[in-house]
């Protein structure tokens, strides 16, 4: 069933959309923001709200999930579709921790700024 032509077109569309989300988020965040800069205290000047972050708060997670799904469909692998669902579940779990963490470190910086402390 997954090898019908309509699924091929769907697969390529999912891969393209996924890669657009991932690559544009890497462009918006830069190397530092992409590779855990927040976790090491290297914060962006402001929270990024431009594309693709105005489409979804987690474009790398959702973009890679779409790419995985597209690849599974392209090759007609139901197991790949199931694994994509597992990956999505793990990403959603990670976001439950990552989003509050990120919000808190930016809030801490703003509190320090208001207090007049210098932030590295």
């Amino acid at each position: 069933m997954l090898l019908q032509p309509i699924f091929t077109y769907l697969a390529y569309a999912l891969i393209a959309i996924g890669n657009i989300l991932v690559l544009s988020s890497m462009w918006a965040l830069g190397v530092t923001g992409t590779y855990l800069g927040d976790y090491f205290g290297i914060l962006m000047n402001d929270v990024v709200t431009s594309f693709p972050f105005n489409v979804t708060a987690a474009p790398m997670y959702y973009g890679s999930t779409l790419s995985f799904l597209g690849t599974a469909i392209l090759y007609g692998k139901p197991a790949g579709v199931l694994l994509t669902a597992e990956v999505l579940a793990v990403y959603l779990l990670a976001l439950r921790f990552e989003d509050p963490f990120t919000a808190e470190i930016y809030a801490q910086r703003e509190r320090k700024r208001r207090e007049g402390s210098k932030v590295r």
Side-chain angles (χ1 to χ4, degrees), residues 4 65 68:
Q4 295 177 2
T65 301
F68 299 152

Side-chain angles (χ1 to χ4, degrees), residues 10-77:
L10 174 64
Y12 283 121
L14 290 171
I15 292 168
I17 293 167
N19 283 321
I20 288 169
L21 288 173
V22 170
L23 294 173
S24 61
S25 62
M26 290 177 74
W27 180 265
L29 293 172
V31 172
T32 305
T34 299
Y35 298 105
L36 302 176
D38 292 353
Y39 291 94
F40 296 107
I42 305 167
L43 304 180
M44 306 287 287
N45 290 333
D46 294 304
V47 176
V48 179
T49 57
S50 61
F51 183 80
F53 294 92
N54 60 352
V55 175
T56 175
M60 286 188 182
Y61 288 163
Y62 293 121
S64 62
T65 301
L66 290 174
S67 294
F68 299 152
L69 180 59
T71 303
I73 292 171
L74 182 64
Y75 288 99
K77 303 294 183 182

